[in-house]
Each structure stands twice: as structure tokens, then as C-alpha cells.
Amino acid sequence: MVAEELHEEQFAKETLERYSGSPASDYQSNLILTNFPRYVDHFAKERGVAVHEGSMFKVAHSPEEEISILDFKIGSPAAALVIDLCSFLNIKSAILLGMCGGLRRRYQIGDYLVPVASIRAEGTSDFYFPSEVPALANFLMLKAVTDVLEAEKSNYHIGITYTTNLRFWEYNEKFIEELKASRAQAIELECATLFMASYKRKFTLGALLLVSDLPLNRDQIKTKKSSEFVFENFMPDHIEKGVAIIKQSRVMQSKKIKGAYHRNIDM
């Protein structure tokens, strides 16, 4: 018996269903991506919706707001995978709610950082484009992010992140010197990959990062205790900022403001 050929879209949707424990048809037209299962749990609890979990992802859907939130875990390979899979859904806009290490003395834990671009030091993005292609956040989503932050008078910075796959780098002096030389404003693990994959897939995506630690200062490296402090004090606002950004992006798309991919606007 010859097996029926599995086309790419069907394969992507079935993979997403296996990894998230949720039917592809349940995904809403707007998506919040995060690295933290606690974000999904909090979002679901506040809205009284169910949490679904598969072999890799954790997800919750709010049909009333037309928003899904998905925890794709940590690292650039997972970031690439989630964009490749979700690009086959009817999603109009997406925002990453992640955390980063701030690399400027004036930054404080709890500040927001809006990445306009990322240094592609993680390697995974090379599968999408040659190294000379810049990793940029989507312009419409950048505008939606800053509109919300300005309206709510939030403390935020705008800059470039350094995306790396290297962990436990805080004691690697050679890497620290290279990091400083890059003049990046923050360091994290996924933005360059997300920006490159979304550019390839024509997937309207931006990011709002929370400064969770100041790793160039040895006394402000993220620890178990400090991480808990960040979750307790800043997670709820971060999530609601993401929801507000999604709603603002929808308004902008309805007005045909430039920046989003046409395939996303016309869905």
C-alpha cells in the first residue's frame, strides 16, 4: 500500500498539533510568542481559558480577543521551528514577549527594550538568508510597540540585540570583549532567528523584551532568586503590553498603514 503524499502545509499543521497539543483550527488570528510557560499559564488564568501542552509547546487561546499565546521554549532552533510552523496559519500579526540581558549602565531591571534589529551570532538564521542580510523587526509591529509604550508612559529603550547560542558566557572574557565591541544594547537567544524566519515566511512579527538582568555586572547576573522577582513583579504588565500591542497592530492594519505583509493584512 502506497502512503498518500503529505504536503508541506499539512505536515506543518500536524507537527504544530503534536508539539502544542492543540488543533491548528483553534489558533487565533494573532499570536503572542514567549519563552516562558508561566506567561501562558497567567494569560489563561486571567482570561479563564484552557491551557494545552504537547511534546514541546504550551499554548492557550482567547477567542474573545482573537489572540493565542504560545511558549516555544528557549533557543534559536526552537524559534526557527515555531515560525516555520505558524506561518501556515492565518495569523495577521505576532509579537515576541521575551527577556534580555541589558548591556548599558543606565538600564534597570524591569525596563523594556524594543529591538529594531539583531546581530546574527546564533547561526540558525544562516539557513534562511546569507550573512549579509540584516535581521530586522517588522516595521508595523515596531510602530505598534512604541505607540503602546508611549501611550502608557513606560520606561523603554530602543536598540540592537546580540543573538547568541552560547550559554554560560558570563565568565567567558573573550566573548564579553566581543560582545562589548558589537555595541549591542542587549543580549538574548532568539530575536535574530525570529526576524530572519519571519522575513523569509512573510510573517508580520515584532518583539518587546523585558530587561531581566544586567549580566556585565557580576552582582546582577540572573539567578534563581532574581528570576522569581522578575516574574512576580513584571510578568503581568509584560503580557498585557503584548495584548495591547496586538490590538494596536490590528487597528493599524485596518487602516492599511505600511509595514505588514499584504498576505497578513488581507487574511
Side-chain angles (χ1 to χ4, degrees):
M1 178 174 155
V2 179
E4 183 180 350
E5 181 183 356
L6 193 63
H7 294 288
E8 186 179 20
E9 180 176 351
Q10 183 184 354
F11 176 61
K13 289 181 177 179
E14 288 189 8
T15 302
L16 180 63
E17 290 177 343
R18 286 191 295 113
Y19 284 2
S20 68
S22 175
S25 59
D26 285 353
Y27 280 81
Q28 301 300 301
S29 58
N30 302 276
L31 180 65
I32 294 174
L33 294 174
T34 183
N35 309 119
F36 309 105
R38 289 175 66 164
Y39 274 51
V40 177
D41 293 337
H42 182 88
F43 177 93
K45 181 179 178 181
E46 290 296 307
R47 287 154 177 80
V49 298
V51 173
H52 307 274
E53 190 165 7
S55 59
M56 183 174 181
F57 303 145
K58 195 171 192 177
V59 65
H61 311 291
S62 175
E64 183 177 345
E65 295 171 300
E66 299 180 19
I67 296 174
S68 294
I69 183 170
L70 185 151
D71 160 42
F72 64 90
K73 301 302 183 284
I74 294 174
S76 61
L81 176 63
V82 76
I83 297 299
D84 286 344
L85 298 181
C86 289
S87 66
F88 288 93
L89 304 177
N90 293 325
I91 291 175
K92 295 180 179 179
S93 61
I95 186 77
L96 167 70
L97 300 182
M99 296 188 189
C100 64
L103 302 178
R104 293 291 184 271
R105 291 188 180 91
R106 68 181 184 278
Y107 291 2
Q108 296 183 26
I109 292 172
D111 287 353
Y112 287 113
L113 186 131
V114 183
V116 297
S118 295
I119 295 171
R120 297 171 55 187
E122 84 309 353
T124 309
S125 59
D126 293 342
F127 289 100
Y128 295 99
F129 289 100
S131 59
E132 61 267 22
V133 179
L136 304 175
N138 176 266
F139 179 78
L140 182 137
M141 294 307 297
L142 278 174
K143 184 70 167 58
V145 171
T146 54
D147 281 355
V148 169
L149 294 176
E150 286 290 336
E152 299 187 10
K153 295 180 170 55
S154 303
N155 292 325
Y156 75 97
H157 313 280
I158 297 175
I160 297 171
T161 67
Y162 188 103
T163 305
T164 181
N165 267 337
L166 182 65
R167 302 307 305 270
F168 199 57
W169 60 265
E170 290 85 352
Y171 298 88
N172 184 328
E173 295 301 330
K174 182 176 183 297
F175 178 81
I176 289 172
E177 289 306 311
E178 294 174 354
L179 181 61
K180 290 178 178 178
S182 75
R183 302 294 295 276
Q185 280 78 25
I187 183 168
E188 43 71 46
L189 302 172
E190 296 91 13
C191 279
T193 310
L194 289 170
F195 294 162
M196 284 284 87
S198 61
Y199 184 44
K200 180 75 171 183
R201 296 287 187 176
K202 292 183 170 58
F203 190 80
T204 302
L205 178 139
L208 176 62
L209 304 181
L210 181 66
V211 177
S212 60
D213 57 314
L214 304 170
L216 294 182
N217 304 324
R218 287 288 168 82
D219 61 342
Q220 292 186 293
I221 290 174
K222 186 185 292 185
T223 64
K224 182 178 179 180
K225 182 178 179 180
S226 69
S227 178
E228 188 63 28
F229 173 84
V230 169
F231 279 118
E232 290 181 357
N233 289 274
F234 305 115
M235 176 182 67
D237 182 71
H238 198 191
I239 292 171
E240 296 311 319
K241 286 283 193 301
V243 171
I245 290 163
I246 289 292
K247 292 179 178 179
Q248 174 66 8
S249 73
R250 289 205 298 252
V251 171
M252 295 169 69
Q253 287 177 338
S254 70
K255 296 179 178 179
K256 306 294 185 181
I257 292 175
K258 293 184 182 295
Y261 295 106
H262 290 294
R263 66 179 289 267
N264 302 143
I265 294 175
D266 296 333
M267 283 177 175

